[in-house]
Amino acid sequence: MHAKDSNPPDGGYGWVVVVSAFMVMGLTAAVLKTFGLFFVEIQQHFDELASTTSWITSVTIAIFHLGAPVASSLCVRYTHRAVVITGGLLAFLGMALGFLGLNMPWMYATTGFLQGLGISFSWTPAISIVSHYFSKKRALANAIASAGECAFAFTFGPFFQWLISQYGWKGALLIIAGIQLNICVCGVLMRPLASSCLLEASHSETETPLGNGASKINKEDKSPITQKTFNWMLVRRPEFVLYAIFGILAAMSFFVPPLFLVPLSYSLGIDESWTASLLSILAMVDFAGRLLCGWYANLHVTKTVHLLTMTITLISTSLMLLPLANNYLSLAIFTGFYGFFFVAVHITVLADVVGMPDFDSALGLFMLIRSTGGFVGPPLAGLIVDMAGDYRAGFYMAGATLVLSAGFLITLDQLQQRKERGSQTNTKAEKSTLPYPSLHLLKLQ
């Protein structure tokens, strides 16, 4: 009786889910992306080094990734809706308690740990449920949902700068905490698919005395959502391992530019008001790039892994050139190039690598493994900046790491092509030998 829900609707209420995910991305990832505006304020308040202050963002990123497997498991146990609402409450607590600003360890625990857990419990189920609602239009739906962080970051840059100037960095954190409560509203709108209620399905199959026919229907009607949530055996698949290594290296790089863009502009003597506009430019071109990439990926003209490899190469090139900027105009141009190529097809590629039956499990495991890169990247870049005495060094580090990550994507693509060729060869061989065993069986009969 749930057969109609076993396949993704590819539309309908799914677009409401996409809009809700769009909002969640903005209220989580966009806040994280524009947190660099608080970097200098917090560093000066506590009189700490850049490497010490960057641990706040590092802890947030690490917990964001580490909490993903837990969030994936809770999604199956309690539905995506419940987990998103919980994430909204945790994000609110992280920022609200950070308002107290007692000391640096307190900031690690609040705006670091609690905020990271809130982002994880909001972001993971939001992007996951979009993938379950869409199949043919998955790339486009994911692109629209992920573009929420760009759209919100466009306004958050100047808005957060204004909040800091009016209420100080502590007051700004408290106001942002209140804004993040809207994540709970978005969570309420994320209606579960009927076939995603694993608990009821499993109970009806194991506890209700049904006949063989009914039991067979229950097993056949299970959607990919009802598969095992955390499958450690994925680490035995070479394709997943290669993609996970790419994720580690990419995470080491992705969070460095937004963190050090503001301090770099300050070091060049650019006014604070103009500095905030750089984040808006980054968000604006990022938004356009994601939608364009999602539209192009939806045409299925180019394999998503090829598209991701190309964009990663262009991002690394942009990061290598960005430190050459010596004024606002040149910095804005290079920032625009970096933002435009920062597309979001890595989740779509993950679905292509492992398949939808293992997607929830793979997403949690991928985020868990990738957390090491997010945890190490910002402090490592901060240490390099402290040693070099120049924020440009952080951008060089990020660009070089991305170049290395592109190599693993190329290796992944070669492995997939080799397996496809082998599969096609085996299929042809089976077809060519199929008639002969059949004739032999007819003779025996």
Side-chain angles (χ1 to χ4, degrees):
M1 65 184 185
H2 296 299
K4 63 185 176 64
D5 298 309
S6 59
N7 294 320
D10 257 323
Y13 193 81
W15 293 116
V16 176
V17 174
V18 169
V19 173
S20 300
F22 178 92
M23 299 289 291
V24 171
M25 297 300 111
L27 296 170
T28 54
V31 172
L32 180 59
K33 181 177 286 189
T34 53
F35 196 77
L37 289 167
F38 291 87
F39 186 88
V40 175
E41 301 290 335
I42 295 175
Q43 182 182 10
Q44 292 177 349
H45 179 81
F46 292 107
D47 193 22
E48 295 286 355
L49 295 172
S51 55
T52 304
T53 308
S54 63
W55 275 105
I56 298 176
T57 302
S58 180
V59 171
T60 307
I61 296 169
I63 299 302
F64 164 40
H65 289 82
L66 288 171
V70 180
S72 295
S73 299
L74 292 176
C75 283
V76 174
R77 182 67 177 83
Y78 298 106
T79 75
H80 296 75
R81 171 187 285 168
V83 181
V84 172
I85 293 173
T86 303
L89 294 174
L90 288 171
F92 163 76
L93 284 176
M95 285 296 192
L97 293 175
F99 158 77
L100 300 176
L102 302 180
N103 49 45
M104 194 60 76
W106 177 263
M107 300 304 296
Y108 296 156
T110 56
T111 57
F113 180 84
L114 281 178
Q115 178 69 196
L117 196 62
I119 292 175
S120 182
F121 278 31
S122 304
W123 187 94
T124 306
I127 205 69
S128 174
I129 196 171
V130 168
S131 294
H132 283 297
Y133 261 94
F134 290 85
S135 177
K136 295 179 181 179
K137 301 176 182 178
R138 183 177 297 137
L140 180 61
N142 278 326
I144 294 173
S146 66
E149 71 175 82
C150 315
F152 276 73
F154 176 74
T155 56
F156 278 175
F159 178 57
F160 286 1
Q161 186 71 61
W162 179 81
L163 287 178
I164 293 172
S165 64
Q166 294 295 315
Y167 304 101
W169 67 270
K170 291 184 179 181
L173 289 181
L174 186 60
I175 295 172
I176 294 170
I179 295 174
Q180 285 188 306
L181 274 176
N182 288 286
I183 294 173
C184 300
V185 179
C186 298
V188 172
L189 295 174
M190 292 182 178
R191 187 174 69 196
L193 285 167
S195 58
S196 67
C197 300
L198 175 63
L199 196 57
E200 290 90 359
S202 61
H203 283 180
S204 63
E205 186 177 332
T206 57
E207 296 178 8
T208 306
L210 299 176
N212 291 335
S215 176
K216 183 178 180 181
I217 292 174
N218 283 340
K219 290 180 180 179
E220 289 178 352
D221 288 343
K222 284 185 179 181
S223 89
I225 300 178
T226 63
Q227 302 299 319
K228 182 161 54 175
T229 309
F230 202 75
N231 182 13
W232 286 101
M233 293 301 101
L234 285 168
V235 298
R236 294 186 177 182
R237 295 170 59 172
E239 300 95 330
F240 179 79
V241 172
L242 287 170
Y243 197 64
I245 296 173
F246 154 76
I248 294 173
L249 295 172
M252 288 180 64
S253 309
F254 282 162
F255 300 98
V256 171
L259 184 63
F260 291 116
L261 182 60
V262 172
L264 174 63
S265 65
Y266 286 163
S267 67
L268 295 175
I270 299 174
D271 185 74
E272 290 184 2
S273 58
W274 287 103
T275 297
S277 69
L278 287 174
L279 296 178
S280 296
I281 292 173
L282 178 62
M284 182 174 60
V285 295
D286 191 358
F287 180 82
R290 288 179 190 237
L291 292 183
L292 181 62
C293 180
W295 168 79
Y296 181 76
N298 199 59
L299 297 177
H300 303 289
V301 176
T302 306
K303 289 179 63 176
T304 52
V305 67
H306 292 168
L307 185 59
L308 182 60
T309 304
M310 179 181 66
T311 55
I312 288 295
T313 303
L314 292 171
I315 291 172
S316 61
T317 303
S318 301
L319 288 177
M320 291 291 193
L321 294 175
L322 192 145
L324 300 178
N326 54 13
N327 54 46
Y328 174 80
L329 180 59
S330 56
L331 191 60
I333 292 173
F334 287 126
T335 299
F337 278 119
Y338 162 74
F340 184 77
F341 296 126
F342 194 92
V343 297
V345 293
H346 61 286
I347 299 299
T348 305
V349 174
L350 178 63
D352 293 340
V353 170
V354 302
M356 280 310 297
D358 286 319
F359 176 72
D360 275 338
S361 178
L363 179 60
L365 189 56
F366 176 74
M367 296 292 286
L368 175 66
I369 296 172
R370 198 176 76 160
S371 66
T372 55
F375 186 71
V376 172
L380 178 61
L383 179 62
I384 293 174
V385 167
D386 287 335
M387 293 174 62
D390 192 340
Y391 286 105
R392 292 182 177 89
F395 290 90
Y396 288 128
M397 169 263 181
T401 308
L402 275 182
V403 170
L404 184 60
S405 73
F408 285 92
L409 285 179
I410 295 172
T411 306
L412 168 63
D413 179 51
Q414 293 297 318
L415 179 61
Q416 287 181 319
Q417 289 186 19
R418 192 181 308 130
K419 286 195 171 186
E420 287 175 3
R421 288 194 295 268
S423 177
Q424 291 174 357
T425 302
N426 292 336
T427 302
K428 290 179 180 179
E430 289 176 0
K431 288 182 178 180
S432 62
T433 58
L434 187 58
Y436 301 102
S438 300
L439 290 174
H440 179 65
L441 288 172
L442 288 173
K443 288 179 181 180
L444 290 176
Q445 292 175 353

